[in-house]
Amino acid sequence: MNKRMLWVASGIISLIALLSQCITQPAQDLRGPAYAGANTCISCHQDIYNHYLQTTHFKTSSTNVLGTFPGSFTYDDSTRVEMVVTDSGKVQGGHLFHLAVGSGRHAQTYLYWNNENYYQLPVSYYVSAGHWANSPGFPNSHPKFDRQIPSTCFGCHSSAIGIKSVAMVGRGLKETFEKGKIIYGIDCERCHGPAAEHVAYHTAHPEEKKPMHMTAVRSLGNQQQLDMCALCHSGLKTPQKSLFDYQPGDAYDDYFFPDISGPSRPEQLDIHGTQYQLFTASQCFKKSRQMNCTTCHDPHQNEANNMVAFSKKCMQCHQQQPSPACKFDKMAVLNCVDCHMPQLPSSKIVLSGTYYLRTHLIGIYKQ
């Protein structure tokens, strides 16, 4: 009897140990064992992480719908679409808002799920204007509900997406997705690379202050740093391989064919801006040897509308004094941006009034 009880007790202990491992074992990152997940960064980088939660990169995809309800938009053919809230969450002939794409600084567009795919809704919410309007790239003449969203879009609006299958159909790829398998926003490891080895090392060696098994962005060459941002800030293009494959130091040309078109005309500005092309066409960039996106932008901070901070960065090169030709010398140190990187009207977006987007072509504009 004692022997039997010993076996039973041993079995129970083994089962408890097995179950405890299942409970405490963290779920593997969707990207694989080389990735640690952004939550692991908190213990050593608490302040940076907290500030990053407020940035547009972190908020670029979520389930947080910012659009106002009820709302509506009327197309040129007089078709009216309405955004409503119901107790059941379902409306006959309607679609649910399954996923919000866009940080909400300028706009949000929305996806619905159907038959193992995501589709974009034909209207988006333009936060700065407070209006619903046609989604980027959609006609304003009539609504369309059949735009299927490929993984390439998620490559700049998420950190990972669960792809169920990929098949060549005709000349294009047909993808299916796993519902709910997504890492929202652009997390730490999209720019800094997979961190599992880094986390494991510093957990075992907390006294070590030098970051091990991690690429420091500042250690990259200037063009490599520019390419990191250009990957998602150079307009809509078809990549030659998945943007999820990006590792710090990779070249832009490894993912896209060289761009010889130059920056788009001001009236062609839309939400998918060609910031890289506009910036590198600017005289400020051409006359500087080491200017890149982080010269003006801190990717770990929410800098929206902080014109004084941006102007101070201008003055780092302009020696604390505006140009002698500047007619607004008394206010220049407070706001260089609105004159030299103005918000310009866009013909791509249809609203009840003109919609403006800020250009990254730094220059002298007629007032």
Side-chain angles (χ1 to χ4, degrees), residues 40-48 198 202-203:
T40 61
C41 304
I42 298 174
S43 60
C44 294
H45 307 285
Q46 180 78 62
D47 288 344
I48 292 175
H198 169 79
H202 286 281
T203 299

Side-chain angles (χ1 to χ4, degrees), residues 138-154:
F138 277 67
N140 59 298
S141 56
H142 62 282
K144 285 169 55 54
F145 290 89
D146 60 351
R147 184 186 180 192
Q148 189 171 320
I149 299 302
S151 60
T152 53
C153 294
F154 289 104

Side-chain angles (χ1 to χ4, degrees), residues 164-200:
K164 187 175 183 179
S165 67
V166 180
M168 181 66 71
V169 178
R171 296 183 178 181
L173 292 177
K174 179 177 176 57
E175 299 173 311
T176 61
F177 297 93
E178 298 181 69
K179 188 176 183 180
K181 293 292 184 70
I182 182 173
I183 300 176
Y184 294 109
I186 301 301
D187 74 355
C188 310
E189 291 172 281
R190 281 304 305 273
C191 296
H192 292 283
E197 195 172 357
H198 169 79
V199 171

Side-chain angles (χ1 to χ4, degrees), residues 12-252:
I12 292 173
I13 292 171
S14 299
L15 182 59
I16 291 173
L18 180 63
L19 290 174
S20 66
Q21 288 182 2
C22 294
I23 293 171
T24 59
Q25 183 74 23
Q28 181 173 300
D29 191 283
L30 184 58
R31 294 164 288 191
Y35 289 82
N39 288 339
T40 61
C41 304
I42 298 174
S43 60
C44 294
H45 307 285
Q46 180 78 62
D47 288 344
I48 292 175
Y49 184 86
N50 288 344
H51 283 107
Y52 189 68
L53 295 181
Q54 308 306 317
T55 65
T56 53
H57 281 144
F58 180 81
K59 296 179 179 180
T60 195
S61 59
S62 68
T63 56
N64 182 28
V65 176
L66 298 179
T68 56
F69 293 83
S72 65
F73 178 70
T74 302
Y75 288 84
D76 291 348
D77 66 355
S78 298
T79 301
R80 177 185 174 93
V81 295
E82 295 186 346
M83 282 56 72
V84 299
V85 176
T86 66
D87 292 337
S88 65
K90 296 181 180 179
V91 177
Q92 185 175 0
H95 297 285
L96 297 178
F97 288 62
H98 283 113
L99 180 61
V101 176
S103 67
R105 179 181 173 186
H106 294 296
Q108 267 193 342
T109 195
Y110 306 99
L111 311 184
Y112 71 93
W113 173 264
N114 183 49
N115 195 26
E116 298 184 318
N117 274 282
Y118 290 98
Y119 294 84
Q120 186 173 4
L121 291 169
V123 291
S124 297
Y125 188 72
Y126 294 86
V127 178
S128 55
H131 289 286
W132 292 92
N134 57 304
S135 295
F138 277 67
N140 59 298
S141 56
H142 62 282
K144 285 169 55 54
F145 290 89
D146 60 351
R147 184 186 180 192
Q148 189 171 320
I149 299 302
S151 60
T152 53
C153 294
F154 289 104
C156 284
H157 285 286
S158 76
S159 293
I161 187 76
I163 300 175
K164 187 175 183 179
S165 67
V166 180
M168 181 66 71
V169 178
R171 296 183 178 181
L173 292 177
K174 179 177 176 57
E175 299 173 311
T176 61
F177 297 93
E178 298 181 69
K179 188 176 183 180
K181 293 292 184 70
I182 182 173
I183 300 176
Y184 294 109
I186 301 301
D187 74 355
C188 310
E189 291 172 281
R190 281 304 305 273
C191 296
H192 292 283
E197 195 172 357
H198 169 79
V199 171
Y201 181 88
H202 286 281
T203 299
H205 304 85
E207 73 286 350
E208 178 61 67
K209 301 304 179 185
K210 180 182 178 181
M212 304 296 290
H213 308 294
M214 177 63 63
T215 301
V217 174
R218 62 181 176 273
S219 71
L220 301 176
N222 200 58
Q223 188 59 50
Q224 289 175 312
Q225 293 184 50
L226 283 163
D227 286 355
M228 175 182 289
C229 301
L231 205 68
C232 288
H233 293 281
S234 57
L236 287 175
K237 296 182 179 68
T238 302
Q240 305 311 301
K241 63 178 182 178
S242 174
L243 301 187
F244 291 121
D245 293 339
Y246 174 80
Q247 297 293 313
D250 283 359
Y252 175 85

